[in-house]
Amino acid sequence: MWAKFGLHPCWRVQKALNESGIEYELVKEGPAFKGSSRETTRERTGQEKLPWIEFEDGSVYREESADMAETIAAGKLDEKRPGPPA
């Protein structure tokens, strides 16, 4: 949220979402946020790395941030959702 520079993983993905006009809800999690841990991230992705995207159907997409940003910029985010395209 506050580390908005090119190499920060969360900002890289957030910037790609913004530039692509994709609406999203930002969820603050991790040690940078008081009283927060990465428990939800571990539960949803099986590891502790951020960022990750949860689709409306509850499915999760997680890759390295540069790959995620590239996927978003290419208009292929929906392909990362399991099941038929929305």
Side-chain angles (χ1 to χ4, degrees):
M1 183 69 180
W2 43 265
K4 294 184 177 183
F5 53 90
L7 298 178
H8 191 276
C10 294
W11 174 240
R12 182 181 291 139
V13 171
Q14 185 179 359
K15 185 173 184 275
L17 290 167
N18 291 343
E19 290 174 351
S20 296
I22 297 172
E23 292 185 30
Y24 60 92
E25 177 184 345
L26 182 64
V27 178
K28 302 172 187 176
E29 183 182 52
F33 300 100
K34 186 177 182 178
S36 179
S37 70
R38 292 199 181 175
E39 184 176 335
T40 302
T41 294
R42 281 190 299 275
E43 290 172 359
R44 301 294 291 132
T45 69
Q47 46 81 42
E48 293 190 3
K49 290 187 176 181
L50 299 173
W52 53 280
I53 293 172
E54 182 175 352
F55 296 105
E56 295 88 358
D57 66 1
S59 62
V60 172
Y61 166 50
R62 163 76 186 118
E63 287 186 290
E64 293 300 316
S65 63
D67 297 327
M68 292 178 76
E70 185 177 318
T71 295
I72 294 164
K76 296 182 178 183
L77 180 60
D78 202 46
E79 293 175 16
K80 300 297 182 175
R81 179 192 320 253

